[in-house]
Amino acid sequence: YPHRINIAIDGPAGAGKSTVARLVASELHYVYVDTGAMYRAVTFVAQSRGLQLNDSDSLASLASGLDISLLPGEGGQIVLADGKDVTGLIRSREVTAAVSLVSANAAVRSRMSELQRRMAAAKGVVMDGRDIGTHVLPDAELKVFLTASPRERASRRFLELGDKPAVTLDQLEGEIALRDRMDSEREIAPLRQAADALLIDSTGRSIAEIVDEIVSLGRTAAQAIAAREN
Ligand code: CDP
Ligand code: CDP
């Protein structure tokens, strides 16, 4: 496509953001950036160094020097924290339970936003998270706020746990609701639909349907900009 744009996809946990964003990026030959993985990586490093997660100063000093990078890999995206591969370590329940506390830290957010803006500077990025359309890329040419009912989001995550889940569906729904509340109520860059974002409710809709919708919105936006420039 003649004109490369940036696409921001925000929304609550389990809405389908990362699944959909990855597929949209691959159809458009864009780069996918999973910003949640970056906050998870910071959380993992903080925990493995035994930091007090409610001590904002020690989180700040960790964040200021920390380099988180994302690389394309065979089975998806590889996450590096100061060069060390942490991909397989950041989806644990322990990290998931603590990530909203770490991501509320001002210094952590400012460091991650800086890295994310750098990744999007050349355009042609599909970035998913909580504050991409509102803070990280306020000028993104397409912004989507992706949601689904709380029950459906919990069920989707429950299905991923396989045969012998360590939690019940109700517990999982409670954990997701708590994280969404912390993400929405924090002071800095809370989870919120940007004024110019398009709301897509994926409840009862397939992954392919949502991907097609966003790809076509992206192509339309790119063509409109190309036409304006010619
Ligand atoms: O995939 P899931 O919805 O479980 O979460 P994620 O996208 O991996 O994000 C994990 C956590 O990182 C969120 O609950 C937020 O606390 C934080 N996050 C954020 O604060 N800002 C972003 N742009 C992305 C994630
Ligand atoms: O990144 P986010 O937390 O928003 O959600 P995800 O991890 O991409 O998606 C959660 C689960 O929902 C995945 O297992 C997807 O396959 C599934 N999903 C779905 O069943 N229907 C959709 N329309 C979108 C995602």
Side-chain angles (χ1 to χ4, degrees), residues 11-20 22 32 128 130 146 152-153 156-157 159-160 179 202-208 210:
K17 300 182 300 298
S18 44
T19 307
V20 161
R22 181 178 302 113
Y32 167 53
D128 88 305
R130 302 292 187 287
L146 190 61
E152 178 149 336
R153 293 189 284 111
R156 289 175 181 176
R157 281 298 162 84
L159 277 176
E160 291 174 354
R179 191 147 59 91
S202 72
T203 311
R205 298 183 63 195
S206 73
I207 295 169
I210 307 294

Side-chain angles (χ1 to χ4, degrees), residues 71-85:
L71 302 175
E74 299 249 319
Q77 189 175 254
I78 293 167
V79 187
L80 302 180
D82 280 342
K84 181 178 177 280
D85 186 348

Side-chain angles (χ1 to χ4, degrees), residues 10-15 17-18 34-40 43 90-91 96 98-104 109 116 127-132 136 157 176 179-180 182-183 186 188-189 191:
D10 292 301
K17 300 182 300 298
S18 44
D34 177 354
T35 65
M38 299 173 73
Y39 288 97
R40 287 173 176 275
T43 304
I90 62 173
R91 310 271 163 202
T96 302
V99 64
S100 290
L101 186 58
V102 173
S103 74
R109 296 211 73 79
Q116 290 154 13
M127 192 176 279
D128 88 305
R130 302 292 187 287
D131 63 335
I132 310 308
V136 178
R157 281 298 162 84
I176 289 177
R179 191 147 59 91
D180 287 344
M182 289 177 73
D183 291 343
R186 70 179 173 226
I188 308 153
L191 168 64

Side-chain angles (χ1 to χ4, degrees), residues 45-142:
V45 173
Q47 285 176 328
S48 63
R49 293 190 191 169
L51 297 192
Q52 208 68 53
L53 300 187
N54 47 18
D55 173 8
S56 65
D57 289 344
S58 62
L59 273 184
S61 70
L62 170 72
S64 65
L66 193 61
D67 246 306
I68 306 289
S69 46
L70 304 173
L71 302 175
E74 299 249 319
Q77 189 175 254
I78 293 167
V79 187
L80 302 180
D82 280 342
K84 181 178 177 280
D85 186 348
V86 295
T87 316
L89 304 166
I90 62 173
R91 310 271 163 202
S92 69
R93 286 195 77 201
E94 203 187 351
V95 169
T96 302
V99 64
S100 290
L101 186 58
V102 173
S103 74
N105 181 274
V108 169
R109 296 211 73 79
S110 108
R111 176 70 178 151
M112 293 308 115
S113 304
E114 176 197 347
L115 296 172
Q116 290 154 13
R117 286 187 187 117
R118 245 183 254 168
M119 293 183 211
K123 300 271 184 182
V125 160
V126 183
M127 192 176 279
D128 88 305
R130 302 292 187 287
D131 63 335
I132 310 308
T134 50
H135 281 88
V136 178
L137 305 177
D139 298 327
E141 289 82 355
L142 175 62

